[in-house]
């Protein structure tokens, strides 16, 4: 699943592929925003961790990645 994280005062968003379910990511984000932790911590499919301070979060978009079609074909 693809997770996009918008960070305040940053020109680009953070995009990562996560092996977690939508519900797991949503609960992690909700706990971070509720103030239980000062950081949003997510792990991607390669085992790397992304840490974002919760006071800098602009948005979190959770969804399936879009598959780009390459080549010629009927639209």
């Amino acid at each position: 699943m693809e997770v996009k994280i918008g960070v305040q005062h940053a020109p680009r968003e953070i995009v990562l592929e996560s092996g977690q379910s939508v519900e797991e990511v949503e609960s992690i984000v909700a706990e971070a925003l509720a103030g239980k932790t000062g950081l949003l911590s997510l792990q991607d499919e390669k085992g790397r961790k992304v840490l974002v301070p919760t006071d800098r979060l602009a948005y979190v978009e959770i969804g399936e990645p879009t598959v780009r079609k390459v080549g010629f074909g009927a639209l």
Side-chain angles (χ1 to χ4, degrees):
M1 153 187 27
E2 184 177 75
V3 180
K4 293 182 183 179
I5 303 169
V7 181
Q8 294 178 6
H9 309 295
R12 295 178 53 182
E13 59 191 12
I14 300 169
V15 180
L16 64 111
E17 292 290 329
S18 176
Q20 298 171 314
S21 70
V22 174
E23 292 80 19
E24 289 174 328
V25 174
E26 188 175 354
S27 69
I28 291 170
V29 172
E31 286 176 7
L33 291 176
K36 294 183 181 178
T37 62
L39 292 172
L40 171 62
S41 174
L42 293 173
Q43 189 170 1
D44 70 358
E45 289 181 337
K46 296 180 182 179
R48 296 178 292 191
K49 275 198 168 184
V50 175
L51 303 171
V52 180
T54 55
D55 62 341
R56 297 290 181 195
L57 282 177
Y59 64 89
V60 178
E61 184 179 313
I62 306 167
E64 294 297 321
T66 57
V67 179
R68 295 184 179 156
K69 297 180 182 180
V70 179
F72 298 99
L75 297 176

